[in-house]
Amino acid sequence: MIKDGYTVSELVKAAKVSRQAYYKWLKRELTTKDIEDQEILNLTRNVNLS
């Protein structure tokens, strides 16, 4: 994020969430649904690139 020119503070302010909520989300355990959604997204991106 900093490499893109934004700090965590700026991003959480823009998203209207607390830094605490952001870091809690960042360290969360992925659910089976999250993993499946990521796999589908990756497959979709691969199809679009072909």
Side-chain angles (χ1 to χ4, degrees):
M1 287 175 278
I2 292 175
K3 67 180 178 183
D4 296 328
Y6 300 101
T7 65
V8 171
S9 295
E10 292 170 323
L11 293 172
V12 297
K13 184 176 181 181
K16 297 182 180 175
V17 298
S18 68
R19 287 175 61 97
Q20 179 184 7
Y22 166 73
Y23 284 112
K24 184 176 181 179
W25 172 84
L26 195 61
K27 295 177 187 274
R28 78 196 185 290
E29 290 274 333
L30 293 177
T31 64
T32 302
K33 175 83 168 104
D34 291 330
I35 295 167
E36 289 172 352
D37 288 347
Q38 188 61 49
E39 290 174 3
I40 292 169
L41 181 61
N42 291 339
L43 289 170
T44 302
R45 286 181 178 158
N46 289 336
V47 169
N48 289 335
L49 294 175
S50 300

